[in-house]
Amino acid sequence: MNDDRPVLLETRGTCMHLTLNRPKALNALSHTMVRLLDEALARAEQDEAIESVLLSGAGDRGLCAGGDIRALHDDARASGRASLEFWRDEYRLNARIARFPKPYVALMDGIVMGGGVGVSAHAGIRVVTERSRVAMPETAIGFVPDVGGTRLLAAAPGELGTHLALTGRSVGAADAILCGLADHHVPARLLPALTEALGRPAGPGASVADIVQGFATDPPAGELAAQRDWIDDCYAADTVEDIIRKLRASGVPAARTVADELLTKSPLALKVTLAAVRRAARLAGLEAVLDQEFRVSSRAFEHPDFVEGVRARIIDKDNAPQWKPGSLAEVDDQEVARFFAPLGPGEQELALAPGPADTSARDGQDEQGGQDEQGGQGG
């Protein structure tokens, strides 16, 4: 009889094994799943008998395709607030994973996108396979990378993170490791043996990291290392418009293809995303970035591009979204800055970071030329 619990919990030896268990939905995260994961980690942190945690996904298609986009879409259409509470708990879970004091191993096999990155790429030990496809594809649906993704992408070498944030493209094992989204490649056929090994005592002098390293192999060749020259040059521009101009003028066919691809995304989401990634590089830590992302997500949730993007890409699948504004030139810098402003009356900040509230939003006007302008790129 199939177990229909959305998160399975099994203790194997000293390892708590958590399995995301919605394989028909590609293990998309629900609010219930976020709460169950948080409760399990809180328990594991306090239980001296638990020495490590392992996260995997049910089925053979992927760890997690992200949040439940249809539920978020329906909530936005109904002017609801449930999605904001989901993100509040999800981002707190992301922060808990990042600071978890025991080895946390994430098996990033297959599709790992959006919220799936949030529950895995902040782990202490991140494993990808030859089947892995890792992405933050939010700009295609009129949204902005979140779950700490802007911090992860800001830390990638050169402008690789900017490239991935704006295009939403997925990467395989080698490129995920290159970009700092993963640590080790383990062939998918060896994951059952790795899981079994993690459930046994490590033995004198051995560690969880040693066990994982014992299964690791070189990944299949990636693509990004050979593209660094044009990516780093073009994406160093201050605005989305300038990035696209440089991509078109580069003389590189792949760059021109990317320029065309960017023009299919939400103009507002592109500008906010560029500013968000560059602001994230200046913030003090993950908690501050998550605070910023909560503001941005709250504003993106209210904007019609999110509902329209999900409709066009996920529900009707006509791939013909009608963005508002419809062009980069129509995106106002002040509208971009609004995404980073403190939340208004009746709204509650995430407030994960210690100390005074982030003031970078108030510097937006000065940044118009810098980050925010980056595009105007806003953020």
Side-chain angles (χ1 to χ4, degrees), residues 222-257:
E223 301 175 357
L224 292 180
Q227 300 174 342
R228 279 290 302 276
D229 287 349
W230 65 263
I231 288 176
D232 288 353
D233 177 59
C234 296
Y235 285 95
D238 287 336
T239 69
V240 175
E241 291 93 332
D242 284 344
I243 287 172
I244 290 174
R245 279 193 285 270
K246 294 192 76 170
L247 288 167
R248 289 200 183 286
S250 68
V252 179
R256 290 196 294 269
T257 297

Side-chain angles (χ1 to χ4, degrees), residues 24-295:
K24 291 182 179 178
L26 240 172
N27 301 319
L29 291 174
S30 65
H31 202 161
T32 296
M33 293 168 75
V34 165
R35 289 172 174 149
L36 289 171
L37 289 170
D38 191 69
E39 291 168 5
L41 291 180
R43 194 180 327 150
E45 188 170 341
Q46 297 300 317
D47 190 341
E48 295 182 0
I50 299 298
E51 296 179 0
S52 65
V53 170
L54 174 66
L55 179 74
S56 65
D60 57 4
R61 296 170 59 204
L63 171 68
C64 175
D68 190 332
I69 294 297
R70 286 177 179 267
L72 297 171
H73 166 272
D74 293 347
D75 189 36
R77 284 195 65 187
S79 300
R81 306 294 291 176
S83 298
L84 302 185
E85 295 313 307
F86 165 70
W87 285 322
R88 189 182 301 279
D89 287 342
E90 183 184 26
Y91 298 176
R92 290 183 180 279
L93 172 64
N94 301 146
R96 179 188 285 280
I97 290 169
R99 66 172 182 263
F100 195 68
K102 299 177 181 182
Y104 178 114
V105 182
L107 302 184
M108 302 169 69
D109 184 35
I111 292 174
V112 186
M113 295 184 178
V117 172
V119 296
S120 60
H122 298 298
I125 303 172
R126 304 161 301 175
V127 175
V128 282
T129 74
E130 74 280 4
R131 304 188 299 200
S132 295
R133 300 305 302 177
V134 184
M136 296 297 296
E138 286 77 7
T139 57
I141 58 168
F143 204 66
V144 178
D146 64 340
V147 299
T150 58
R151 177 174 172 83
L152 293 165
L153 294 172
E159 295 293 337
L160 293 179
T162 310
H163 171 62
L164 296 182
L166 294 182
T167 63
R169 286 187 173 187
S170 64
V171 295
D175 288 333
I177 293 171
L178 171 64
C179 292
L181 301 173
D183 305 301
H184 305 284
H185 168 263
V186 173
R189 61 182 174 79
L190 297 182
L191 292 183
L194 172 58
T195 300
E196 183 180 347
L198 289 170
R200 297 193 298 263
S207 67
V208 170
D210 292 333
I211 293 172
V212 175
Q213 184 60 57
F215 286 85
T217 65
D218 291 334
E223 301 175 357
L224 292 180
Q227 300 174 342
R228 279 290 302 276
D229 287 349
W230 65 263
I231 288 176
D232 288 353
D233 177 59
C234 296
Y235 285 95
D238 287 336
T239 69
V240 175
E241 291 93 332
D242 284 344
I243 287 172
I244 290 174
R245 279 193 285 270
K246 294 192 76 170
L247 288 167
R248 289 200 183 286
S250 68
V252 179
R256 290 196 294 269
T257 297
V258 169
D260 292 339
E261 184 180 326
L262 289 176
L263 291 174
T264 69
K265 314 291 185 183
S266 159
L268 179 61
L270 287 176
K271 291 198 171 190
V272 176
T273 294
L274 181 60
V277 171
R278 292 187 172 167
R279 286 170 178 261
R282 303 198 304 269
L283 293 175
L286 176 62
E287 286 82 1
V289 171
L290 288 166
D291 285 346
Q292 171 176 277
E293 290 179 347
F294 187 74
R295 290 175 177 176

